[in-house]
């Protein structure tokens, strides 16, 4: 599936790629509506109905990923609410093995995420994955999300990379398409971002079920 001899840099998404997306899906679809319902005297279902169009309005924008935006919009301490369900944060199978192999093979390994700094800090504290990365890039520092066509060019100003010698693994098809349009040469999707849901169609991209499928051998 991959010719590792042609890959120098590996960009890895966090939520849904390295980490189980079940945490995020549960948080936004179940836990936030629960706390919103308590605040406004609504049923859980009514809160879900009220929040759904507000979510949809900003999907794919920086606001969607911004903890501070949702704290202001909903009048809820989103960072604290994430801590209430942090026990659901989980690393996907074979991720540690894959990251260790990349380190042994001297591939530059960079976490590239749309997640807000507060979410990133919580998840790195919980998983201890940060020690495996040569760099961590947060889209909030770039100013646009990874789906945006300008993201990858802007990324070059903080993380120099050769697109043709770069691998991106991500669970988002819009992100993968954005990266492909920029010229990133090696792209892989994730079939099961949320382990509690069925595998998804990854459309025109090659996909993996676990990182065991692409662990590089020692050079």
């Amino acid at each position: 599936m991959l010719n590792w001899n042609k890959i120098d840099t590996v960009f890895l998404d966090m939520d849904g790629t390295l980490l189980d997306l079940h945490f995020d899906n549960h948080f936004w679809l179940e836990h936030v509506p629960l706390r919103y319902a308590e605040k406004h005297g609504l049923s859980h279902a009514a809160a879900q109905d009220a929040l759904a169009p507000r979510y949809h309005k900003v999907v794919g924008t920086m606001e969607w990923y911004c903890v501070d935006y949702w704290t202001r919009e909903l009048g809820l301490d989103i960072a604290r609410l994430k801590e209430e369900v942090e026990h659901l944060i989980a690393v996907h199978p074979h991720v540690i093995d894959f990251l260790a192999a990349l380190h042994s093979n001297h591939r530059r390994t960079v976490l590239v995420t749309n997640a807000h700094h507060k979410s990133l800090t919580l998840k790195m504290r919980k998983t201890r994955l940060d020690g495996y990365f040569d760099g961590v890039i947060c889209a909030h520092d770039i100013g646009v999300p990874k789906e945006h066509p300008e993201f990858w060019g802007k990324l070059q100003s903080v993380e120099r990379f050769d697109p043709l010698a770069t691998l991106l693994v991500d669970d988002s098809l819009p992100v993968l398409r954005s990266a492909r349009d920029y010229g990133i040469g090696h792209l892989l999707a994730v079939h099961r971002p949320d382990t509690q849901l069925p595998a998804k169609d990854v459309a025109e991209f090659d996909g993996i079920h676990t990182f065991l499928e692409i662990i590089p051998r020692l050079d």
Side-chain angles (χ1 to χ4, degrees):
M1 182 181 294
L2 292 175
N3 183 346
W4 282 104
N5 292 324
K6 295 184 177 181
I7 297 170
D8 298 325
T9 301
V10 180
F11 289 158
L12 297 168
D13 173 53
M14 182 171 70
D15 300 320
T17 299
L18 300 180
L19 305 186
D20 194 335
L21 197 62
H22 176 62
F23 168 83
D24 299 275
N25 286 337
H26 176 83
F27 180 77
W28 291 108
L29 300 179
E30 301 294 335
H31 194 62
V32 170
L34 175 66
R35 295 296 184 235
Y36 189 83
E38 292 172 350
K39 181 179 177 69
H40 295 282
L42 302 171
S43 70
H44 191 221
Q48 288 173 317
D49 289 342
L51 291 172
R54 299 178 73 170
Y55 291 167
H56 181 72
K57 181 180 178 181
V58 294
V59 166
T61 70
M62 281 301 7
E63 285 80 8
W64 168 239
Y65 301 102
C66 183
V67 168
D68 294 335
Y69 170 83
W70 289 113
T71 295
R72 293 191 304 269
E73 283 291 302
L74 304 182
L76 298 169
D77 187 341
I78 296 299
R80 183 180 63 79
L81 296 190
K82 284 179 180 275
E83 292 177 353
E84 291 180 353
V85 290
E86 68 174 35
H87 61 280
L88 295 176
I89 297 171
V91 180
H92 271 312
H94 306 293
V95 162
I96 300 294
D97 297 331
F98 177 69
L99 293 174
L102 291 178
H103 178 74
S104 296
N105 278 264
H106 309 292
R107 278 3 184 247
R108 182 164 179 80
T109 305
V110 182
L111 182 67
V112 183
T113 178
N114 281 334
H116 188 269
H117 289 289
K118 291 177 181 177
S119 295
L120 177 62
T121 298
L122 172 65
K123 290 173 178 178
M124 290 300 101
R125 185 174 75 236
K126 180 71 174 179
T127 64
R128 305 297 183 186
L129 289 183
D130 46 331
Y132 289 97
F133 303 116
D134 298 305
V136 175
I137 304 296
C138 179
H140 290 264
D141 294 329
I142 302 295
V144 291
K146 293 186 292 181
E147 298 92 325
H148 198 284
E150 293 183 9
F151 176 85
W152 304 99
K154 289 178 177 290
L155 179 60
Q156 285 279 11
S157 66
V158 293
E159 177 66 40
R160 299 295 297 174
F161 64 97
D162 175 359
L164 293 178
T166 297
L167 165 67
L168 169 68
V169 188
D170 206 296
D171 69 304
S172 166
L173 297 182
V175 169
L176 289 165
R177 289 173 181 135
S178 171
R180 179 185 61 196
D181 291 345
Y182 181 73
I184 291 182
H186 308 272
L187 301 165
L188 286 176
V190 177
H191 280 292
R192 285 191 77 188
D194 182 333
T195 60
Q196 304 303 307
L197 296 176
K200 72 175 189 178
D201 181 3
V202 297
E204 68 268 30
F205 296 99
D206 290 333
I208 58 169
H209 290 89
T210 79
F211 280 92
L212 186 62
E213 300 167 44
I214 58 168
I215 290 178
R217 297 178 180 178
L218 286 172
D219 288 340

